[in-house]
Amino acid sequence: MQKEIISFEISEQEFGIDVDFVEMVIEKEEITPIPNTKDFIEGVVNLRGRIVPVFNLFKILNLDSTNEIVFDSIIILKIDKEEVGILVNKVNNVISFNDEQLDILPSKNSKFIGISNGILKIDNRLIVYLNLEKLFETIEI
């Protein structure tokens, strides 16, 4: 079955999510912090009159980096009729692939077990294909 994902980078790691969840990609704009929220909630943005919470996947996924993380874009998603944004360093492109191209993540990489659909090998790129519904089910807001 043919699938399409949008690929993006966070902390030198490439991820992909189903394009069906993506409403738009915007340049990172001013984010209004919300007091007394979880540290992975960066705040909210005003998106044409709609208030959209913005999440930091770097913190949610507990990624490591020795470099300073600079987010350039926000991917606006619609999950279960709710709009949310995720901060990313860079949006790459839309990738079409077949199920046969998707591999299961090694069991030793427990960081992404249960929140990913597998890993996609495209040329010399390894893309972690995130399952957004499972990812957002695992976090407590």
Side-chain angles (χ1 to χ4, degrees):
M1 182 174 153
Q2 187 81 14
K3 295 182 179 178
E4 284 189 326
I5 60 170
I6 186 169
S7 72
F8 57 92
E9 295 176 24
I10 300 175
S11 180
E12 301 161 14
Q13 170 72 54
E14 192 168 6
F15 296 94
I17 53 177
D18 284 314
V19 294
D20 294 339
F21 291 108
V22 178
E23 290 206 321
M24 68 182 83
V25 177
I26 61 173
E27 285 186 32
K28 184 183 175 229
E29 56 186 63
E30 185 175 338
I31 298 172
T32 304
I34 302 173
N36 302 320
T37 57
K38 301 283 186 177
D39 70 332
F40 55 81
I41 300 174
E42 292 294 315
V44 294
V45 293
N46 184 345
L47 186 66
R48 300 180 192 133
R50 300 185 314 271
I51 303 302
V52 177
V54 178
F55 292 81
N56 185 328
L57 280 186
F58 180 81
K59 293 178 181 175
I60 292 172
L61 298 173
N62 196 25
L63 299 174
D64 298 322
S65 178
T66 55
N67 300 324
E68 179 183 356
I69 305 298
V70 179
F71 296 109
D72 293 334
S73 304
I74 301 173
I75 300 176
I76 304 295
L77 309 165
K78 194 151 204 170
I79 303 171
D80 294 332
K81 300 179 183 177
E82 289 189 37
E83 282 185 313
V84 299
I86 56 172
L87 289 169
V88 300
N89 297 113
K90 177 182 169 191
V91 175
N92 293 330
N93 56 349
V94 173
I95 299 169
S96 298
F97 66 97
N98 295 314
D99 287 337
E100 298 82 43
Q101 294 175 272
L102 191 64
D103 285 339
I104 297 171
L105 280 170
S107 61
K108 291 182 179 177
N109 195 346
S110 61
K111 190 179 286 189
F112 304 121
I113 297 294
I115 59 168
S116 72
N117 296 319
I119 192 159
L120 190 61
K121 296 178 194 171
I122 304 283
D123 300 323
N124 58 355
R125 298 160 56 189
L126 295 176
I127 303 166
V128 177
Y129 177 23
L130 293 174
N131 184 321
L132 283 179
E133 291 171 319
K134 287 183 180 175
L135 174 67
F136 279 94
E137 282 175 10
T138 62
I139 60 173
E140 294 179 23
I141 299 176

